[in-house]
Amino acid sequence: MKKKRCNFCGRTDNEVRLLINGLDGNICDDCVRQAYDILKSSGMLPQQGSHGNKHSTDNAAHKQQRDIPKPKEIKQHLDQYVIGQDDAKRYLSVAVYNHYKRLAQKDTDTEADGVEIEKSNIIMVGPTGTGKTLMARTIAQLLDVPFTIVDATVFTEAGYVGEDVESILSRLLQVADYNVADAERGIVFIDEIDKIARKADNPSITRDVSGEGVQQGLLKLLEGTNVNVPPQGGRKHPDQEYIKVNTRDILFICGGAFDGIENKISQRLNKRLLGFNSLQDLPQFDKNNLMQYILPQDLKAFGLIPEIIGRLPILTYLNQLDRAALRRILVEPKNSIIRQYTKLFAMDGVKLTFDEQALDFIVDKAVEYKLGARGLRSIVETMMMQAMFETPSKKIKTLRVTLTYAKEHFS
């Protein structure tokens, strides 16, 4: 009996997993997959989740609304990965819950009562290494929505060397596997938003192409508009076809250290001390944590334009991590640094343990260097480098990190 063959690659039916039979020929599963990839790369396949299939998109929105966790549940999930920062967690949990509740609002509901819920983007202010990026990433994992982190420092005004703000959506599309409907329900974390602050209040004869110019470019993106997005980035592929993305339902979370904004807060608070009766009913301010008194006008004084502040209505802050918080971050979260290294050594069959004094030494160094939670990892990495180099080649079953070991290998 003559064996059936794939008319494309020539392999027989017992050499492939599946052979699809046609009227005058056959094709195997590998050739089908290659044909699909060719069509996809050539752009001949229709974009999934386009606005043409609005009914299925609405059903997905209502299904996701039923599955969205409540604010308390979001905060409980954040507590497993982020230590402290309770105020920021509450603000973020409520904002995310309201945002996805807003997405489930039917158009007929809006037409009936005339009430359309507007988008509430978020801005988080806090020193480096306090958990801004980690909180945004943890929430995106919980909600199972496309999530991307972009750095505001690479953007410049259109026409200048650097990236256009539209490249933010290019990265979100890539994460969503170019499914437009999924991308339009995603979350974008814009890091280092303070680096695009206006350089000075005084007008200049030169353009502020990486400061106020970028802020102006972000305005429509944050508010909600149709953007023609180059799927592979803008300037390197000028002949590519654009994908239209509506940013109306994309949640933007901005974060920045705003180094020196405490001076702006302090100046505003000290103005209350001027004038008659200034010493009467004087409020007591915590000078060690001025960030808790931050207001939108402080962001304006720092260099953000009023228009962009208005499109980031939810303002929250993160506290500087003290020694107790750093100690908890080292061991308590599900994805803590100590657990990561314990798992790394366990993969080589080595049981890694840390003495309490060694952990205290790591925390003391992190406080000394003032790098926040990021400093913890760099210290542990330096301390364990020699062990990670030598251990895989040795027949060692246990490794105990004592205070002496920590001091010796860190120095």
Side-chain angles (χ1 to χ4, degrees), residues 2 5 16 51 98 141 147 185 225 291 341 364 409:
K2 186 177 179 181
R5 292 179 177 273
V16 297
H51 294 291
N98 286 342
Q141 291 171 350
F147 172 73
R185 300 172 59 81
T225 187
M291 199 69 78
Y341 280 89
D364 290 338
H409 287 79

Side-chain angles (χ1 to χ4, degrees), residues 360-407:
D360 291 336
F361 173 77
I362 296 170
V363 173
D364 290 338
K365 288 297 178 183
V367 172
E368 179 183 339
Y369 295 153
K370 298 180 181 179
L371 292 175
R374 288 192 182 93
L376 292 172
R377 184 175 187 90
S378 62
I379 292 167
V380 177
E381 185 78 27
T382 304
M383 186 185 303
M384 303 305 299
M385 181 57 65
Q386 185 175 345
M388 289 188 291
F389 178 76
E390 295 178 351
T391 302
S393 302
K394 293 182 178 180
K395 295 181 180 180
I396 299 175
K397 294 298 181 183
T398 60
L399 177 61
R400 179 184 172 190
V401 180
T402 62
L403 177 61
T404 304
Y405 180 97
K407 289 182 177 180

Side-chain angles (χ1 to χ4, degrees), residues 9-234:
C9 64
R11 289 183 293 177
T12 60
D13 54 356
N14 59 352
E15 293 176 324
V16 297
R17 285 172 292 186
L18 178 65
L19 191 67
I20 303 171
N21 302 318
L23 291 177
D24 299 318
N26 310 302
I27 185 172
C28 69
D29 57 316
D30 288 333
C31 292
V32 169
R33 193 176 295 107
Q34 291 179 18
Y36 173 80
D37 291 338
I38 292 171
L39 287 172
K40 187 176 179 182
S41 62
S42 64
M44 296 182 66
L45 289 177
Q47 290 292 330
Q48 297 180 358
S50 61
H51 294 291
N53 191 4
K54 189 174 186 303
H55 180 69
S56 61
T57 304
D58 288 344
N59 288 339
H62 291 296
K63 180 179 182 296
Q64 190 163 357
Q65 162 60 16
R66 289 194 300 269
D67 298 336
I68 196 77
K70 304 296 185 291
K72 280 190 175 182
E73 297 170 0
I74 296 175
K75 184 181 179 299
Q76 288 171 0
H77 182 77
L78 286 172
D79 287 339
Q80 298 177 19
Y81 296 90
V82 184
I83 298 299
Q85 314 296 3
D86 286 338
D87 289 336
K89 288 177 186 174
R90 290 192 189 95
Y91 274 91
L92 203 56
S93 301
V94 171
V96 169
Y97 178 70
N98 286 342
H99 176 73
Y100 285 97
K101 198 163 57 171
R102 166 184 174 270
L103 297 190
Q105 184 187 30
K106 296 181 181 178
D107 291 336
T108 53
D109 295 341
T110 303
E111 294 171 0
D113 56 16
V115 178
E116 181 180 359
I117 303 173
E118 294 185 354
K119 181 168 61 168
S120 294
N121 297 312
I122 309 161
I123 182 166
M124 297 192 294
V125 180
T128 181
T130 50
K132 298 183 292 292
T133 310
L134 179 59
M135 273 198 272
R137 183 187 290 116
T138 304
I139 281 185
Q141 291 171 350
L142 173 65
L143 301 176
D144 193 24
V145 295
F147 172 73
T148 186
I149 300 174
V150 295
D151 198 324
T153 56
V154 301
F155 299 128
T156 56
E157 195 173 346
Y160 291 84
V161 176
E163 291 191 25
D164 295 337
V165 291
E166 287 80 8
S167 63
I168 292 174
L169 302 180
S170 299
R171 299 180 193 181
L172 189 63
L173 274 173
Q174 292 167 8
V175 172
D177 199 20
Y178 294 95
N179 186 318
V180 178
D182 283 351
E184 289 179 346
R185 300 172 59 81
I187 298 175
V188 174
F189 182 79
I190 304 178
D191 203 4
E192 308 292 354
I193 192 74
D194 54 315
K195 303 304 187 294
I196 61 170
R198 185 162 35 188
K199 301 300 182 290
D201 290 333
N202 299 326
S204 172
I205 59 173
T206 58
R207 295 181 69 97
D208 189 6
V209 298
S210 61
E212 184 178 353
V214 177
Q215 293 187 52
Q216 298 286 355
L218 281 172
L219 290 179
K220 284 295 181 184
L221 218 63
L222 296 175
E223 185 176 20
T225 187
N226 287 314
V227 182
N228 289 321
V229 182
Q232 299 176 3

